Amino acid sequence: DAKTTQPNSMESNEEEPVHLPCNHSTISGTDYIHWYRQLPSQGPEYVIHGLTSNVNNRMASLAIAEDRKSSTLILHRATLRDAAVYYCILTSGGGADGLTFGKGTHLIIQP
Amino acid sequence: EPEVTQTPSHQVTQMGQEVILRCVPISNHLYFYWYRQILGQKVEFLVSFYNNEISEKSEIFDDQFSVERPDGSNFTLKIRSTKLEDSAMYFCASSARRQGRVNTEAFFGQGTRLTVV
């Protein structure tokens, strides 16, 4: 699977938007961009995924650059419950079954 | 909302003993997975299971590990002879479609913390 690069940590204030970046310069045409998060002492949780177009769901939005070499997960109004490690993961059509988790971004939310 | 359930939440075992970690995936899901996370480290893929056989496994999943779906609801991970370095959080996951090949959402359980002493 192609590699992703994320900042180790980010800090934001409660009720403000959060933009979590992810670089994936070696992404191939069939790679999907997935985001998962892991709250403290819990299993990973699916957030959102996309291929080329921007995506919105009840949890977040995913903005994908036109060249697909980067993407941004947007939390529109962060709450304390959004404090977690966020993982940007690429999955390829011809790749392995398992998700390859990196170190992710540790998001800290200040009240 | 449907969820993946894992038992026990915490298991302590002596080195060399066999352990079985149990999971109940979401009922209509077809693909099942085990991951582990050593304290302070990344989540690591162990194995995927589909149609009653292993679909893919990582280098970590050696002969000491085995998986089974003994009935229509449970999915188990067995470690034959535990080592100290097997101490980790083990997560079960399931999905309706295959991870990595088709865009799909994986549902993870809360994990079993295995401590080998």
Side-chain angles (χ1 to χ4, degrees):
Chain A
D1 290 332
K3 189 176 175 181
T4 63
T5 306
Q6 299 178 253
N8 289 333
S9 66
M10 290 183 64
E11 201 167 309
S12 183
N13 294 320
E14 196 177 10
E15 298 188 3
E16 288 185 358
V18 180
H19 291 235
L20 295 164
C22 180
N23 287 318
H24 28 78
S25 58
T26 60
I27 192 170
S28 73
T30 56
D31 286 340
Y32 284 83
I33 303 158
H34 292 248
W35 284 81
Y36 282 76
R37 70 180 185 180
Q38 188 174 22
L39 278 63
S41 302
Q42 294 193 28
E45 175 187 28
Y46 169 84
V47 178
I48 200 167
H49 76 274
L51 182 61
T52 56
S53 304
N54 294 344
V55 185
N56 300 295
N57 67 19
R58 62 178 178 83
M59 288 181 71
S61 295
L62 176 61
I64 301 172
E66 200 169 326
D67 63 4
R68 300 210 324 127
K69 292 181 186 290
S70 65
S71 60
T72 302
L73 179 70
I74 303 165
L75 307 178
H76 294 286
R77 199 161 163 264
T79 68
L80 294 177
R81 197 195 170 274
D82 291 320
V85 179
Y86 286 78
Y87 301 98
C88 171
I89 301 170
L90 301 184
T91 62
S92 61
D97 281 359
L99 295 169
T100 302
F101 288 82
K103 294 183 179 179
T105 296
H106 184 200
L107 178 63
I108 300 163
I109 305 295
Q110 297 289 355
Chain B
E1 187 171 320
E3 59 179 16
V4 175
T5 56
Q6 292 186 241
T7 54
S9 55
H10 189 191
Q11 178 146 5
V12 181
T13 188
Q14 288 199 328
M15 193 169 51
Q17 295 296 304
E18 174 184 287
V19 294
I20 297 176
L21 309 182
R22 301 180 192 280
C23 169
V24 179
I26 294 172
S27 62
N28 63 343
H29 283 185
L30 301 177
Y31 300 93
F32 314 109
Y33 312 86
W34 283 101
Y35 291 80
R36 79 172 185 190
Q37 186 174 32
I38 296 170
L39 187 63
Q41 298 189 24
K42 297 185 284 189
V43 177
E44 299 173 293
F45 168 73
L46 294 179
V47 67
S48 60
F49 192 86
Y50 169 70
N51 200 25
N52 281 321
E53 61 182 24
I54 290 174
S55 175
E56 188 139 3
K57 59 184 180 180
S58 71
E59 291 178 357
I60 303 168
F61 194 88
D62 61 21
D63 292 344
Q64 292 298 314
F65 292 89
S66 63
V67 289
E68 196 177 36
R69 188 155 162 82
D71 52 43
S73 59
N74 291 287
F75 180 51
T76 62
L77 174 69
K78 182 193 291 186
I79 308 176
R80 194 165 295 118
S81 176
T82 51
K83 304 188 281 276
L84 294 176
E85 53 264 39
D86 293 328
S87 294
M89 190 73 124
Y90 287 81
F91 295 108
C92 173
S94 70
S95 64
R97 290 170 292 170
R98 185 185 290 232
Q99 290 178 18
R101 295 186 186 275
V102 180
N103 55 317
T104 185
E105 175 181 357
F107 292 79
F108 284 77
Q110 293 300 304
T112 292
R113 180 168 299 285
L114 177 66
T115 303
V116 182
V117 297

